[in-house]
Amino acid sequence: MTDQTPAPVPDGAVQPGEAAEERLPATIPQAQLTADRFTAAPPVKAIAGLTPQRSAGIVRQSAAARWVGFLTVVFVSLFIVGYWFYELGAPAGISKPRLASEIEAQQVTDVERGYNLYEANCARCHGPNGLGPNEPDAAAKSAAGQGYIGPQLNAQEKLFAHLNVQYLRNVLTVGGRYVCGNANSAMPVWSDKGNPPGPLNYRQIDELVAFLRATNDKTYDIRDGSTNEPVIDPATGKVETFTGWRDPNYKPAPSATPYPDCYLKALTGGATSSGAPTASIDPNAPVVTVTAETGAATAGFKEKTLTAKADTAFTLVFDNQDATTGPHNVVIEDASSALVPIGGDTAFFTGPEKRTYAVPSLKAGTYSFVCQVHPTTMKGTLEVK
């Protein structure tokens, strides 16, 4: 039996019928092999022109990117800290919180707009300075039939607590009847929420109240109502300014009583139109009559001079016949312009109507009888002898 095992073929030998290129590759020395020659994919082995210089550039770009990232973090951190102080204010009072600054700026805007609203709508009755009948030009206005019929607003005892924000809003919404309960009050409704609605919306009401409550320790610019630009004084070339009325440091005396809800009570020291006590009239007392005829707001009282007996109480009859030129009243003032307390309802009223007052005995001297609505035109002399 013959052995069929083929004989070994020496390296480099070619078996019959086998081409040289079909042979297994020759063994390559280990020193010539690379670690990834047979395991890495071709794209991995491709360097696509990556040179040592290009590799160094990539490293430099990576370092620059890290610096950019670091600086971005620093910038964002500083921005957050700065915005924190901007919103809440820097420590030790270095800066104010943004919201507080915005509120102050809006308050200034409200006061300046409220000034224009007051001058356009309220000054004709209460005076441009809020002094009412005590305005410097009151006499000239009254002579022209345009007297200031509204009460004084620029008085510290009123601004302290009486003319508070809610009270002013109520008066502007309801009208003069809120002040003294007088349905015929000359003070109209200003708010468009009133009944009947007035001409001012809620923002204008807030601005008007802001002006009336503004303090006199700040100065505000007078601005043109149509352009909102500061008004320049042509004589000086400077911006015209104004200050508020209310003194923030004012405090009434500890013994002072609060300002009454109805200003007429403060003027007369007694009765108001709502709940006024009936005058105790002595039927045997002498009677003195004063008359307001039609057009009295311009022409004044019919009687320019009255006479009464000294140290003798008398009855004062006010015959208000005027139904056209507004409400009137009558009070008595002494030589120092102080009101003389009299018994009866001295609130404003529209004629035709008569009211009677009990006047206490007066010492000899010269007094005045005055309509507080038209104090410059409706004023006469009371001679007590």
Side-chain angles (χ1 to χ4, degrees):
M1 184 173 185
T2 305
D3 185 6
Q4 299 297 321
T5 304
V9 179
D11 289 342
V14 178
Q15 295 183 0
E18 182 181 25
E21 57 271 13
E22 294 178 351
R23 294 185 296 111
L24 291 174
T27 303
I28 299 175
Q30 186 69 26
Q32 298 181 17
L33 295 176
T34 60
D36 61 345
R37 180 169 182 178
F38 298 103
T39 59
V44 174
K45 293 186 290 182
I47 61 175
L50 183 64
T51 64
Q53 293 78 7
R54 177 61 178 162
S55 299
I58 292 175
V59 171
R60 287 193 297 270
Q61 291 175 356
S62 176
R66 288 194 295 270
W67 269 107
V68 170
F70 172 75
L71 293 177
T72 301
V73 170
V74 171
F75 175 78
V76 171
S77 300
L78 292 176
F79 175 80
I80 292 174
V81 172
Y83 190 76
W84 174 275
F85 289 142
Y86 170 69
E87 284 288 338
L88 302 181
I94 297 176
S95 66
K96 292 182 179 180
R98 182 189 65 85
L99 185 58
S101 299
E102 290 294 330
I103 291 175
E104 289 184 3
Q106 184 60 54
Q107 180 71 9
V108 170
T109 300
D110 286 353
V111 172
E112 291 175 346
R113 290 179 178 176
Y115 171 85
N116 288 339
L117 289 169
Y118 178 88
E119 292 296 316
N121 301 286
C122 311
R124 62 172 177 254
C125 291
H126 296 280
N129 301 302
L131 298 175
N134 298 320
E135 290 283 353
D137 62 342
K141 288 284 187 180
S142 295
Q146 302 173 352
Y148 301 114
I149 63 173
Q152 179 177 351
L153 300 177
N154 186 358
Q156 296 304 321
E157 63 273 13
K158 298 179 72 173
L159 292 168
F160 177 72
H162 173 63
L163 296 180
N164 57 68
V165 172
Q166 190 57 52
Y167 179 85
L168 290 170
R169 283 202 181 113
N170 288 342
V171 173
L172 294 170
T173 302
V174 178
R177 64 180 181 271
Y178 183 82
V179 179
C180 292
N182 182 7
N184 296 319
S185 173
M187 172 71 176
V189 173
W190 288 102
S191 171
D192 61 359
K193 301 299 182 182
N195 186 19
L200 304 182
N201 60 35
Y202 78 98
R203 277 300 309 153
Q204 293 170 316
I205 293 294
D206 286 347
E207 291 162 357
L208 186 54
V209 171
F211 166 72
L212 294 173
R213 295 291 302 167
T215 56
N216 59 12
D217 58 349
K218 295 181 180 179
T219 301
Y220 304 90
D221 293 340
I222 298 177
R223 296 183 178 272
D224 184 272
S226 57
T227 65
N228 202 37
E229 293 296 326
V231 176
I232 307 299
D233 186 347
T236 63
K238 297 181 179 180
V239 176
E240 296 185 13
T241 60
F242 68 93
T243 58
W245 294 344
R246 183 169 60 90
D247 181 1
N249 299 317
Y250 172 82
K251 291 183 179 180
S255 59
T257 58
Y259 197 88
D261 290 336
C262 179
Y263 72 95
L264 292 174
K265 185 174 182 180
L267 294 175
T268 61
T272 69
S273 61
S274 56
T278 303
S280 178
I281 303 299
D282 183 357
N284 299 318
V287 176
V288 177
T289 301
V290 60
T291 306
E293 297 180 317
T294 300
T298 302
F301 291 113
K302 177 181 178 181
E303 298 80 10
K304 307 302 181 184
T305 303
L306 300 176
T307 303
K309 187 175 180 180
D311 300 320
T312 303
F314 64 93
T315 298
L316 177 64
V317 176
F318 178 31
D319 184 5
N320 184 4
Q321 303 173 1
D322 188 9
T324 60
T325 62
H328 306 297
N329 76 335
V330 64
V331 295
I332 297 176
E333 297 178 348
D334 61 19
S336 65
S337 297
L339 290 171
V340 174
I342 60 178
D345 185 356
T346 58
F348 306 154
F349 68 100
T350 301
E353 182 181 346
K354 287 184 180 181
R355 291 189 181 178
T356 304
Y357 309 96
V359 182
S361 60
L362 302 177
K363 295 185 178 298
T366 301
Y367 299 77
S368 300
F369 57 96
V370 183
C371 169
Q372 292 174 305
V373 183
H374 309 94
T376 55
T377 55
M378 298 183 66
K379 186 173 185 178
T381 301
L382 172 62
E383 296 289 347
V384 179
K385 304 176 181 179

